[in-house]
Amino acid sequence: MDISRRGRRSRHLTFRTCGTLLVTAGLLITGCSSGSSTAGASMTSLSHAVPAELAPYYGQKLSWHACGVPGFQCASMKVPLDYAKPGGGDIKLAVARKQATKKSGRLGSLLVNPGGPGGSAIGYLQSYAALGYPAEVRARYDMVAVDPRGVARSEPVTCLDGKRMDAYTQTDMTPDDERETEAVRTAFKGFAAGCRAHSAKVLPHVSTVEAARDMDVLRAALGDDKLSYVGASYGTFLGATYAGLYPERVGRLVLDGAMDPSLPARRMNQDQTAGFETAFQSFAKDCVTRDEECPLGTESPQDAGKRLKAFFVELDRKPLAVGGSDRRLGEALATTGVIAAMYDEAGWPQLRDALTSAMKNKDGSGLLALSDGYYERDGDGKYANLMFANAAVNCLDLPPAFDSPADVRKALPDFEKASPVFGEGLAWSSLNCAYWPVRATGGPHRIEAKGAAPIVVAGTTRDPATPYRWARALASQLSSGRLLTYDGDGHTAYGRGSDCIDSTINAYLLKGTAPEDGKRCS
């Protein structure tokens, strides 16, 4: 998130899951809900017929124009602010495309979304998907992206200025006493108040359901009878929601690094905590074999985890200086930096170097750079709207994981069991939605999408952000789900170096040939 979770900033810009997924005051990842059991209710599909009051939106024609990036065209699309009251005003969504490179054999549009919530789909399209997807896919599809409502170029949610975000991201997420606990609560309240002050109009209307309905308007405006789509991480929840609402309009859907929509946030956050522990153990297992290259020692992955935790505790007591800057690296930012590198094993060398500089040379600049990349903070101290949109969508989609600090304290043993290294911070970061100014409109639910064409659900066995069990769960819920497993490390599977995964997904996108349910690749 942006660093790119895949190791290169140009590839998957955002994949967060519940509650600020990560350990600092901000990292929010997919949805936040309370409750303890898997939801039994299933999503109900919408009518096949377009309601009369929405006909003007479905009938609009997009006016494409050059937009500064060679080979790409851009347009804006109107959608209702509130689908329950279509006459109550519009919002404009930014759309971009790169047309198919072949004139014959065109398969229509392929919509892409990199995750988040809060990741710019247009940024992902222009920096990676429309350039790095397989040539045969780009030859036959118009590659298309829309920034979801509240994100990037589409009525972006705004909350805090750069200076206040700097303070927010440094909030201590491992409070030692009541004073530090109150500081956590104050930080979350201040963040929420900033969002309300700057984005009151759009905050109640950035849910995943509304974004999925926007995608159907875009499908019609593009002239496609069915939607073909590749979504990663949170993008799988968005794509699955579309399938649940419009099963008869499902074309070829790939849901890569899948989320389980039936989970309440507390369980989701706990699963993700365990996922990051699994990813760290993979990193540590590799690190301890590298002798002097590993700043965490050479004994065992477990000892490496203890050393990292001790380092975080030391930073909590005494933050490190950062060369050439008046900023300092404390526990919160350092933890974010480490977690950011867990998304892709290609980031492990950078993490080893950053930890070596911090632990041995007392220079926190490497870890701070990783953290800044995750938060999309630029060199001038300005933040993209990623974290603002992330919280806005998460806190609207599901009720809070925790209602009070007391709830967090009760859950700490479970989170610390899931991850001795990251558990405490991830538990406290899940408190953020408790103070949100808009009441949640969604809840945990199953998505079956009865009647949909085959949908490919890809899961990676050691995925840190979207644990493999979520892919299995989503594939089993979808009436036409086909589980495709990548036995490997890192977040998501498509385009990560597995010929088996790539050829399977390419065959599905190009020929409509869905894999057998349960196919495994390495």
Side-chain angles (χ1 to χ4, degrees):
M1 328 142 147
D2 273 57
I3 328 178
S4 188
R5 305 322 108 200
R6 296 189 159 194
R8 291 185 213 105
R9 178 158 170 47
S10 63
R11 304 180 73 163
H12 288 206
L13 297 140
T14 19
F15 304 121
R16 294 172 171 75
T17 302
C18 208
T20 264
L21 173 59
L22 300 200
V23 173
T24 60
L27 309 195
L28 296 172
I29 274 190
T30 298
C32 310
S33 80
S34 57
S36 58
S37 62
T38 298
S42 296
M43 172 171 279
T44 301
S45 63
L46 296 176
S47 170
H48 181 73
V50 174
E53 60 269 25
L54 296 181
Y57 298 103
Y58 273 82
Q60 68 187 294
K61 303 297 181 183
L62 300 181
S63 178
W64 295 102
H65 55 85
C67 49
V69 181
F72 289 87
Q73 298 173 310
C74 293
S76 63
M77 178 180 75
K78 288 184 179 181
V79 292
L81 173 67
D82 184 351
Y83 276 93
K85 300 175 182 178
D90 302 331
I91 57 175
K92 288 185 178 180
L93 305 183
V95 185
R97 74 177 179 185
K98 191 171 190 295
Q99 291 181 292
T101 58
K102 276 188 177 181
K103 296 188 182 296
S104 61
R106 184 179 171 277
L107 294 171
S109 306
L110 181 63
L111 194 65
V112 296
N113 183 283
S120 171
I122 291 177
Y124 173 66
L125 178 79
Q126 294 179 338
S127 65
Y128 173 64
L131 306 172
Y133 268 37
E136 57 270 33
V137 173
R138 293 181 284 117
R140 300 187 63 191
Y141 282 101
D142 289 347
M143 302 293 294
V144 179
V146 55
D147 280 346
R149 51 176 63 206
V151 174
R153 300 163 179 83
S154 297
E155 307 272 349
V157 172
T158 302
C159 300
L160 304 178
D161 62 22
K163 183 175 290 188
R164 293 186 67 194
M165 268 300 286
D166 276 348
Y168 178 72
T169 61
Q170 295 176 63
T171 303
D172 181 1
M173 284 292 119
T174 57
D176 299 318
D177 52 34
E178 186 54 39
R179 179 182 64 81
E180 292 187 351
T181 300
E182 182 59 30
V184 173
R185 184 162 39 199
T186 298
F188 286 143
K189 286 182 177 179
F191 185 92
C195 298
R196 178 178 56 201
H198 295 291
S199 302
K201 173 186 172 183
V202 73
L203 278 189
H205 301 292
V206 293
S207 70
T208 298
V209 167
E210 288 165 306
R213 297 192 69 173
D214 295 341
M215 289 192 343
D216 197 53
V217 175
L218 177 58
R219 172 202 59 76
L222 292 170
D224 294 324
D225 293 331
K226 295 181 181 294
L227 181 79
S228 290
Y229 173 86
V230 178
S233 197
Y234 162 80
T236 68
F237 180 39
L238 180 57
T241 299
Y242 180 90
L245 294 173
Y246 308 104
E248 75 285 350
R249 295 176 191 159
V250 167
R252 299 170 187 177
L253 261 62
V254 177
L255 308 180
D256 184 14
M259 290 177 52
D260 178 359
S262 74
L263 293 179
R266 193 174 307 181
R267 168 65 185 278
M268 185 178 289
N269 289 355
Q270 191 172 320
D271 281 356
Q272 193 174 58
T273 298
F276 276 94
E277 180 68 22
T278 297
F280 174 74
Q281 289 299 317
S282 292
F283 163 76
K285 183 178 179 180
D286 174 79
C287 188
V288 299
T289 67
R290 295 178 179 272
D291 299 325
E292 296 85 6
E293 289 186 38
C294 184
L296 300 175
T298 59
E299 286 78 20
S300 70
Q302 291 71 30
D303 288 336
K306 292 176 182 177
R307 285 189 174 90
L308 182 61
K309 182 64 175 177
F311 172 61
F312 288 157
V313 171
E314 176 63 19
L315 288 177
D316 188 28
R317 185 183 68 83
K318 186 179 180 181
L320 286 180
V322 176
S325 169
D326 59 358
R327 301 172 70 198
R328 300 185 72 80
L329 180 81
E331 180 184 16
L333 293 175
T335 305
T336 303
V338 172
I339 287 180
M342 293 295 99
Y343 284 83
D344 190 335
E345 62 272 29
W348 292 357
Q350 183 182 1
L351 177 59
R352 288 197 304 271
D353 289 345
L355 286 171
T356 297
S357 293
M359 298 175 75
K360 296 185 177 182
N361 303 325
K362 305 304 178 184
D363 179 1
S365 57
L367 285 174
L368 185 61
L370 284 166
S371 178
D372 284 351
Y374 185 94
Y375 281 121
E376 294 195 349
R377 180 191 191 274
D378 67 20
D380 295 327
K382 297 178 181 179
Y383 289 77
N385 104 301
L386 168 64
M387 299 311 302
F388 310 141
N390 187 276
V393 176
N394 285 334
C395 296
L396 195 59
D397 275 350
L398 294 167
F402 299 112
D403 293 324
S404 69
D407 290 340
V408 178
R409 291 192 189 96
K410 290 177 184 177
L412 281 176
D414 290 335
F415 277 75
E416 291 179 311
K417 181 179 180 181
S419 175
V421 179
F422 306 118
E424 182 182 7
L426 285 171
W428 281 102
S429 71
S430 302
L431 183 62
N432 66 311
C433 290
Y435 308 105
W436 200 244
V438 180
R439 190 176 184 84
T441 56
H445 57 275
R446 293 171 54 84
I447 298 179
E448 297 177 358
K450 292 180 179 179
I455 298 171
V456 175
V457 179
T460 299
T461 56
R462 293 181 294 282
D463 190 317
T466 51
Y468 176 62
R469 70 178 68 179
W470 293 358
R472 288 192 318 220
L474 180 60
S476 69
Q477 289 171 39
L478 291 168
S479 62
S480 60
R482 304 286 181 90
L483 178 63
L484 175 63
T485 298
Y486 173 48
D487 186 1
D489 295 295
H491 185 42
T492 71
Y494 188 41
R496 291 181 48 81
S498 169
D499 289 340
C500 174
I501 290 288
D502 292 353
S503 62
T504 300
I505 291 177
N506 291 344
Y508 171 68
L509 290 175
L510 295 169
K511 301 177 182 178
T513 306
E516 291 185 9
D517 187 32
K519 180 174 180 176
R520 296 183 71 90
C521 297
S522 60

